[in-house]
Structure formats: structure tokens, C-alpha cells
Amino acid sequence: MIKAAYLHIPFCEHICYYCDFNKVYLQGQPVDDYIQAIEQEMKLTLREFPSDKLETIFVGGGTPTSLNEQQLDRFCEGINKNLPKAADVEFTFEANPGDLSKEKLQILKDAGVNRISLGVQTFNDHLLTKIGRAHRAKDVYQTVDNIKSIGFDNISIDLIYSLPTQTLKDFEESLNEAFSLDLPHYSAYSLIIEPKTVFYNLLRKGKLPTPGEDIEARMYEVLMEKMESRGLHQYEISNFSKYGYESRHNLVYWNNESYYGFGAGAHSYVNGIRRSNIGPLKKYIDCINNEELPIRENHQVTPSEQMEEEMFLGLRKTAGVSISKFNEKFNRDPLELFSNEINELASKKWIEVNDDNIYLTKQGRLLGNEVFQMFLGVID
């Protein structure tokens, strides 16, 4: 059963120095043709892989709200016309502070969008400049006010820590500013420097002064402490919320469930096959115009890979992996299947096992990637 859909808008008015997502500068791009193509992809996909009701829809990018009012209205209309939605669907749009007018917000509200995710990253204006962001801290406050005034109450913001030249004090100040907004959901990620980004090129030249692993680890500890003290529970390594405001869409990924991916460069997981779409816009649009699904690569996930993914994706959640659900899904006991790995990690106090869950300890969350790698390529 397919529960979720992700739609990708690759257009940006500014390119951030750390971003490696499929994106292009907005100016001069065939935006209207792209909107038509992604609507056609929805039709082609649902014809081949139907679904009764989607529980979550997430529009990301790029910058989805870089579309003008008419384009945004048309895009939302295409979603509502082609994707079957559950009555209580979680419908999220990503946006940047400063480019989300009340007119655009009203279009989203009228289209049934009920969750907004803002890419804030930091409240330090100097750091915002250093990472290539166009907005400033004042834009965040104004944008959140606008979002609330239109009637949205499910609002999330993203933060990034371990930024170049960022100090622990800088990060704590950003957290305090974020808390002043009194939002129900916060995500915070450590900076990962990816190939083909501005930061990657600077790092190779020795011109990217990062805080270092020790400061990064301390930032993460402070993050967990401050979130807990504010009554925001950590339900995943990088995500914190008031109860009832967890991101249902992201939980689909971490629960290793099926989802559609629409748009240039989007990924999907349908009928046990992980697919990636064609990335370049012209090739994507041409493929759709030929009535073909724009698939760049297919990978049939083997039963062994499914079980390994169930472990390292599920361990991202603070609740961890349910032993009984794993048994029910695969007819295998994870405690037997991964006995060596679980015993080793438990001896290091990186994971714990209770009656029905295998989960990371607080120390284990600091070393999450090392834990996850233990479950790769284990099953013959």
C-alpha cells in the first residue's frame, strides 16, 4: 500500500552553498512546461501503480514557493485533481523565509495544504550570508507571522549546525530565537559537505573553516538538552516536536514504507523497487511528452536489503525498530538475524533492547552513522 507522495520543484532564486539537491536557477526556466509535465507524470504513474488514499503529500525542492501565484495555483490544482487523499492527509509545502507572501499562503491554504516547513538554517545574519542564504532573521519572524495569520498551526523550521565559523554560542542563540517562535516542530541537521557544492570546492582548497567534530558533537548534545527542556520530544535523530505534530511524511521513510516520487530527480519506492527520476529538466519534460515515465534507474530491493534497510532506517527513530513488527513483516527475528551486530553495539552501550524494541541510546545517537553502517551487507 502506497501511503505517501513526494513532489519536487527544482527551481531556486538563489543557490545555497551546501545544497546538492536537484535544482536550477529559476530565471529563464520552462516552469509552465515543468508543471504540466509533473501533472502528466502523476497521471501516468497512478495509471500504472494505483493507490486508494495517500496519507501524506510533501512538496519540496528547490524552492516550491518560487513559483508565482498563477503557477502555484495551477500546480496545487494538478495535485488535488490527480492524487487521491485521505480525509486527514498531511499536506506539506517547503518554503523559504522572505519569499512566502500572504497571497501565496492563501493559495496553499485554499488548496488544502495544512503544514509549512521553513528553511531557516540559522538566525545569525552573518552566517546566513556565508552559507549563501538570501533571507535574514527578520524575514523569519515576518514569515511565521504571515503563516499564522492565514490560519496554519502546523509549522516546522529547519536549522543547520556545525556551519563554517559557527560557535557553540552562535548555535545556542539560534536555538533560543527558534524557541521564541513557539512552533510545534523543529528539525536540526549537522552540515554535511556534499560533492558538487560550493562548500565542497572550498573544503578541497582548505578554505572552509568548520567547527570540528568535538564542537559538532557538543552542539548536538545541547540541541537534545534544550529541546527536551522545552517539552519537545525527540522522535528521530534530527527531529523534535510537540506530541501529535511529528512529520507523518518522514515517518513513512523511516518506517521503510512505499511512496511515490514525482518530478525531475525525485525518488520513489513502489512495489519493492527503488526508482530515481531523470534529473535534467529538458530530458525529464521530453520523456513525459512521449508518454513515458521519466525513470533514470530502477533497483529491485532484495529481501536481504529490505531487512537491512528496516534496521538502519528504523533506528533513526528514538522508538527504534519493533521486534514484533519486523517478525510480522519478514517472518524473521531481528535479534537472531543481526545477533552479532546487536550484541557488539549493546556492549558499547550504543543501542538497547527491551521487550519489543531495539533503539539507540543517547550516546548511540551521537554515533548514528557508525551504528547504521553495521547493518549494511550483513545478510548473505
Side-chain angles (χ1 to χ4, degrees):
M1 177 182 172
I2 303 168
K3 292 184 174 182
Y6 172 81
L7 297 98
H8 189 73
I9 298 294
F11 309 112
C12 289
E13 296 178 72
H14 305 275
I15 302 296
C16 303
Y17 300 158
Y18 53 84
C19 180
D20 73 328
F21 294 134
N22 190 43
K23 77 281 183 188
V24 293
Y25 280 111
L26 176 66
Q27 189 173 1
Q29 296 296 334
V31 180
D32 293 318
D33 291 343
Y34 183 80
I35 293 170
Q36 182 177 340
I38 201 169
E39 180 173 359
Q40 184 62 17
E41 186 190 357
M42 285 186 263
K43 291 177 182 177
L44 292 171
T45 301
L46 269 292
R47 192 181 303 160
E48 187 168 346
F49 308 104
S51 177
D52 290 336
K53 289 179 181 177
L54 296 178
E55 297 177 10
T56 80
I57 297 171
F58 192 105
V59 180
T63 311
T65 50
S66 65
L67 303 179
N68 65 35
E69 283 87 350
Q70 293 76 24
Q71 292 163 344
L72 195 60
D73 189 45
R74 181 182 166 198
F75 175 60
C76 290
E77 183 182 350
I79 294 173
N80 286 327
K81 188 165 66 174
N82 292 286
L83 297 184
K85 301 192 296 296
D88 64 342
V89 66
E90 177 193 83
F91 191 173
T92 303
F93 249 77
E94 281 186 342
N96 283 339
D99 72 356
L100 193 53
S101 66
K102 285 190 174 182
E103 291 76 18
K104 289 184 180 181
L105 280 164
Q106 192 61 59
I107 289 169
L108 297 180
K109 185 73 173 174
D110 292 344
V113 175
N114 52 25
R115 186 173 184 271
I116 302 292
S117 178
L118 282 181
V120 172
Q121 319 317 0
T122 176
F123 284 83
N124 182 315
D125 285 349
H126 175 67
L127 283 175
L128 285 168
T129 300
K130 289 183 75 72
I131 65 176
R133 298 293 284 179
H135 75 270
R136 295 296 173 260
K138 63 180 176 58
D139 299 318
V140 179
Y141 307 120
Q142 183 60 61
T143 301
V144 170
D145 284 345
N146 289 344
I147 293 169
K148 290 180 177 179
S149 73
I150 298 297
F152 290 95
D153 59 8
N154 196 348
I155 306 167
S156 176
I157 63 171
D158 288 354
L159 299 172
I160 300 179
Y161 59 93
S162 194
L163 295 168
T165 73
Q166 187 180 37
T167 65
L168 182 59
K169 183 182 177 184
D170 285 331
F171 181 55
E172 289 186 271
E173 288 174 352
S174 273
L175 283 176
N176 290 334
E177 295 298 326
F179 293 141
S180 75
L181 297 170
D182 190 26
L183 301 178
H185 192 283
Y186 297 88
S187 300
Y189 305 94
S190 64
L191 176 68
I192 298 175
I193 300 167
E194 302 283 5
K196 300 180 182 179
T197 63
V198 172
F199 274 175
Y200 182 77
N201 293 330
L202 289 173
L203 184 68
R204 291 181 65 188
K205 296 174 183 176
K207 296 180 178 180
L208 193 72
T210 56
E213 291 183 2
D214 290 344
I215 297 296
E216 179 182 332
R218 183 56 191 147
M219 286 177 175
Y220 186 53
E221 289 174 332
V222 167
L223 171 70
M224 290 191 288
E225 291 163 7
K226 283 186 171 287
M227 289 288 176
E228 186 176 0
S229 72
R230 295 278 175 162
L232 295 152
H233 80 106
Q234 183 176 14
Y235 67 99
E236 190 268 347
I237 281 185
S238 302
N239 286 269
F240 307 80
S241 76
K242 297 178 181 178
Y243 286 97
Y245 285 91
E246 301 84 355
S247 170
R248 288 162 54 195
H249 184 83
N250 285 339
L251 282 166
V252 168
Y253 300 148
W254 302 321
N255 288 329
N256 201 19
E257 297 173 324
S258 296
Y259 55 91
Y260 297 116
F262 302 110
H267 293 255
S268 61
Y269 184 32
V270 176
N271 292 352
I273 298 174
R274 294 199 181 274
R275 293 184 170 87
S276 59
N277 275 0
I278 292 168
L281 262 62
K282 186 178 185 304
K283 290 183 178 180
Y284 169 82
I285 293 170
D286 287 347
C287 190
I288 295 291
N289 288 341
N290 290 329
E291 294 288 308
E292 298 174 6
L293 288 175
I295 297 168
R296 180 179 69 86
E297 187 177 1
N298 274 331
H299 174 66
Q300 178 72 57
V301 184
T302 67
S304 295
E305 289 171 331
Q306 288 180 34
M307 289 185 282
E308 290 170 359
E309 289 177 357
E310 191 82 7
M311 291 300 296
F312 67 73
L313 289 171
L315 282 170
R316 291 191 64 91
K317 301 175 295 179
T318 52
V321 176
S322 165
I323 297 167
S324 60
K325 287 181 180 177
F326 191 104
N327 260 305
E328 184 181 339
K329 193 170 183 177
F330 301 108
N331 198 28
R332 298 289 298 272
D333 185 344
L335 296 178
E336 294 179 3
L337 197 61
F338 301 103
S339 59
N340 292 337
E341 292 71 30
I342 290 171
N343 288 337
E344 180 178 342
L345 291 168
S347 69
K348 293 179 176 179
K349 301 190 185 307
W350 292 359
I351 66 168
E352 289 186 5
V353 181
N354 64 17
D355 289 342
D356 191 49
N357 291 87
I358 307 163
Y359 57 94
L360 295 178
T361 62
K362 281 196 174 181
Q363 183 183 355
R365 292 176 211 166
L366 290 166
L367 300 159
N369 288 334
E370 292 182 46
V371 175
F372 306 148
Q373 288 171 10
M374 292 278 289
F375 295 93
L376 290 173
V378 173
I379 308 172
D380 295 331

